[in-house]
Amino acid sequence: MCRMVLASGSFDTADILAAAITMSRGETADHDNATICHRHGWGAVWRDLRTGKLASHRDPSPAWQGMPDSTLTDLQTDFLAVHVRNATLPAKQGIRFTHPLTRQTDDWYFMHNGYMPTVHRLLGLERSEFDSAEYFDYLVPPGAGTLSEGDVLKRLRAVPPGGSTSGNAIAVNRRGASIVHWSPSDTPTPRFFTLHEFVTSEVHVVSSERVPALAESSLWREVAPASVFTIPFPPQKQG
């Protein structure tokens, strides 16, 4: 299980990274899941303001160890998404399993919070090797340019039952960031998988938890359940 936070617009990168560290330590946990700390790696994807191109970073160490010493605190960007991870299965730890996941065939970056152990069947696979990677390939077919709410929700409704907890995800490509907020009706910890957001004239933040350091409680609202929306990016600069 994981925590995610993204910001789009005008913001201080250090504030978003600090929010991710706060969630990784469990300092803002207010939910119904036994998982409080998220110590199994962290990663980020952001937009380069000069070129409009995406870049990413992954680190298998706990966020509170690796993030403060990274160069990300000095980023100048208008989009940043951060993922802090707690592995559902002990064997699925290390850099291979650290988000954001990427594909060699296209320019998508993918972050997932939840467990989707049956989605591999829809890819014709006999068994699951890494549920988030299989979910990535299923939800964002190779070659897809954009995600639509109707198509994504149709795909999610087709996932076979059997232990899935949530399909919450952030899928990013050069056109924008798509946020997927979905959990099956029988998820055992619905509060844990509820996404929150606050929007001002300058910034749009989406987070797994309400982080007081980012905004006071009254400014946060729950993201609509079973919803998908995209935050578009400005066109890339030429040259």
Side-chain angles (χ1 to χ4, degrees):
M1 306 302 171
C2 313
R3 304 281 81 182
M4 303 185 295
V5 59
L6 71 80
S8 179
S10 178
F11 57 90
D12 189 329
T13 299
D15 291 343
I16 304 305
L17 297 175
I21 291 175
T22 296
M23 289 192 289
S24 73
R25 289 181 177 274
E27 295 173 4
T28 54
D30 180 20
H31 52 67
D32 48 6
N33 195 296
T35 298
I36 300 297
C37 289
H38 300 77
R39 63 183 73 248
H40 299 139
W42 64 277
V45 57
W46 64 92
R47 241 176 62 97
D48 186 312
L49 275 180
R50 298 168 301 171
T51 65
K53 294 182 179 179
L54 297 172
S56 66
H57 178 86
R58 297 188 299 158
D59 184 341
S61 70
W64 60 83
Q65 292 180 3
M67 201 176 290
D69 294 330
S70 73
T71 59
L72 273 65
T73 55
D74 299 323
L75 281 178
Q76 298 296 314
T77 183
D78 60 359
F79 173 82
L80 172 66
V82 186
H83 183 280
V84 294
R85 184 168 184 261
N86 184 78
T88 303
L89 302 176
K92 308 301 182 182
Q93 297 181 30
I95 193 67
R96 174 189 169 192
F97 304 101
T98 304
H99 301 219
L101 308 181
T102 60
R103 273 198 305 245
Q104 298 297 319
T105 56
D106 54 27
D107 63 348
W108 284 98
Y109 296 79
F110 190 76
M111 298 175 172
H112 173 219
N113 173 26
Y115 185 44
M116 301 288 278
T118 64
V119 76
H120 68 282
R121 302 177 194 169
L122 299 169
L123 298 175
L125 302 174
E126 292 186 5
R127 63 182 181 276
S128 175
E129 296 293 341
F130 180 27
D131 68 291
S132 291
E134 292 143 10
Y135 179 45
F136 179 15
D137 285 341
Y138 174 66
L139 199 69
V140 188
T146 59
L147 297 185
S148 72
E149 182 175 65
D151 180 66
V152 167
L153 294 179
K154 180 179 179 180
R155 287 175 178 272
L156 287 167
R157 288 192 293 267
V159 173
S164 294
T165 59
S166 181
N168 285 355
I170 300 171
V172 187
N173 72 357
R174 59 185 175 82
R175 296 177 177 85
S178 294
I179 294 85
V180 178
H181 187 212
W182 179 90
S183 296
S185 59
D186 60 351
T187 188
T189 56
R191 282 178 56 203
F192 181 79
F193 293 113
T194 297
L195 291 177
H196 309 271
E197 67 178 345
F198 75 85
V199 184
T200 72
S201 59
E202 295 185 343
V203 68
H204 187 171
V205 173
V206 181
S207 177
S208 295
E209 296 174 8
R210 300 170 187 253
V211 181
L214 291 180
E216 62 184 52
S217 179
S218 62
L219 295 179
W220 292 94
R221 66 189 183 197
E222 293 184 0
V223 175
S227 63
V228 181
F229 63 93
T230 297
I231 299 174
F233 296 151
Q236 290 187 12
K237 299 178 180 179
Q238 301 299 315

